[in-house]
Amino acid sequence: MIQGSIFAMFAAVFWGAAVFQGGLAAKQISSKTSVVLYNFCAFVFFMTLTGFTLELTGSQFLLSMGGGLSYGMGLVTLTYALSKGKAATIVSMSTVTYTLIPFFFSVFIYNEVFPNGIVFIFPILFIGIWYTCQHESKSLKINRTDLFLGLLAGAFFSMYFLFISRVPVDVRQDGFAIMGISSLVFLILVNKKFLEEVKSIKKVGKYVAGFIACELFGTFLFYISLKTGSIAVLPAILSVPDVLTPVILSTIFLGDRLIRKQQIGIAVSLVALVGINLLIL
């Protein structure tokens, strides 16, 4: 299980780097367009690297397609929410449902057994991520719409995680390919400006290329982590580097200063991450 945790942490670091580069490209093209391009590359990547077994059953095909649609819906919800509200509330709330729903399924539906201490670490994790996402020293009022949309986006992402984790390991490469195709089609359908934005991609090509490269490598490591990791704790492990990495990269490359709340948040999040890994040893 700890091996899966290590791969998941590295996967999330690359995903966080992708978020950072996607943000730099966002002035020219939307995040949905970036992810459409990523999904296309991911489909080709997995097809080339692992090949198709062509042995998916009907139910496994539907699980994979459901994962792709859930991912696409999560991205659309998150993008819409971030364009309207406060990132701190939205990202923090999405982490809550993204983490707790898989844990609930693992314990109460799949009857997996974990140390009781993990339940007490989750609140520490949420507090750490909440503080890490703060960009202003003044207190942040929680908007109900941000709260709801954040929870909804996290729920969609958690279902993507649950769907793909139920596809057997020996045919999971096919599952990832189907998931990529279904989310690709969904995102193209909901992004009316896709073709227009692709024409202007040269202006931010290096950022999009970096985004795709980091997403691909992160997804490959995530694919490996699912072989030995547990869906009960992998979302929690993934969430910390995924949130911390863009914040740290912004500090290093863009000169953004970390306020006291963010420093506390990073420290608390890392304590929670170490605690989870120690408990599952």
Side-chain angles (χ1 to χ4, degrees):
M1 189 179 294
I2 189 65
Q3 185 180 7
S5 171
I6 293 171
F7 278 112
M9 285 190 287
F10 280 107
V13 169
F14 279 99
W15 280 344
V19 170
F20 171 72
Q21 293 181 87
L24 294 177
K27 292 183 179 180
Q28 296 293 335
I29 63 174
S30 69
S31 61
K32 290 196 289 291
T33 297
S34 295
V35 178
V36 166
L37 297 171
Y38 151 69
N39 278 329
F40 173 75
C41 293
F43 167 66
V44 175
F45 177 73
F46 275 97
M47 183 176 66
T48 304
L49 188 67
T50 62
F52 283 118
T53 65
L54 300 178
E55 295 177 357
L56 282 178
T57 64
S59 60
Q60 292 164 0
F61 178 86
L62 290 175
L63 282 171
S64 302
M65 189 167 66
L69 293 176
S70 298
Y71 176 79
M73 293 170 71
L75 180 72
V76 170
T77 304
L78 186 64
T79 303
Y80 174 79
L82 290 174
S83 69
K84 301 292 183 181
K86 297 288 186 179
T89 303
I90 296 161
V91 173
S92 302
M93 291 303 102
S94 66
T95 302
V96 173
T97 44
Y98 174 66
T99 301
L100 291 184
I101 290 176
F103 184 79
F104 174 85
F105 269 80
S106 297
V107 174
F108 297 103
I109 306 299
Y110 306 140
N111 298 316
E112 293 188 43
V113 179
F114 294 92
N116 293 330
I118 286 183
V119 176
F120 298 102
I121 290 181
F122 282 157
I124 299 174
L125 173 69
F126 300 147
I127 291 171
I129 290 178
W130 168 263
Y131 272 87
T132 301
C133 293
Q134 303 289 328
H135 297 288
E136 300 176 0
S137 300
K138 61 181 181 181
S139 59
L140 179 67
K141 294 181 179 180
I142 299 179
N143 181 281
R144 291 182 181 179
T145 302
D146 292 350
L147 179 69
F148 171 74
L149 290 176
L151 292 172
L152 183 62
F156 280 133
F157 284 130
S158 72
M159 295 311 297
Y160 139 74
F161 195 95
L162 287 170
F163 278 132
I164 199 63
S165 67
R166 303 314 297 174
V167 177
V169 174
D170 56 342
V171 292
R172 193 168 285 160
Q173 62 266 38
D174 288 24
F176 268 83
I178 297 301
M179 184 183 71
I181 294 171
S182 57
S183 58
L184 173 69
V185 173
F186 177 80
L187 290 167
I188 289 176
L189 290 176
V190 299
N191 187 8
K192 297 178 181 179
K193 296 182 178 179
F194 173 69
L195 293 178
E196 296 177 11
E197 291 180 342
V198 168
K199 293 178 182 178
S200 63
I201 204 169
K202 290 182 180 179
K203 299 177 182 178
V204 287
K206 61 180 181 180
Y207 299 128
V208 175
F211 169 85
I212 291 174
C214 289
E215 282 279 6
L216 282 178
F217 199 63
T219 300
F220 181 64
L221 293 174
F222 172 61
Y223 168 75
I224 297 174
S225 74
L226 282 175
K227 294 183 178 180
T228 55
S230 168
I231 62 168
V233 294
L234 280 183
I237 292 169
L238 287 163
S239 64
V240 176
D242 201 13
V243 172
L244 264 59
T245 301
V247 173
I248 294 172
L249 289 177
S250 295
T251 302
I252 296 172
F253 293 105
L254 301 181
D256 293 350
R257 296 184 63 182
L258 293 176
I259 64 173
R260 182 62 59 85
K261 288 182 179 179
Q262 288 179 304
Q263 295 171 357
I264 294 172
I266 290 173
V268 172
S269 298
L270 291 175
V271 167
L273 182 63
V274 171
I276 292 173
N277 281 287
L278 289 176
L279 286 172
I280 64 176
L281 279 175

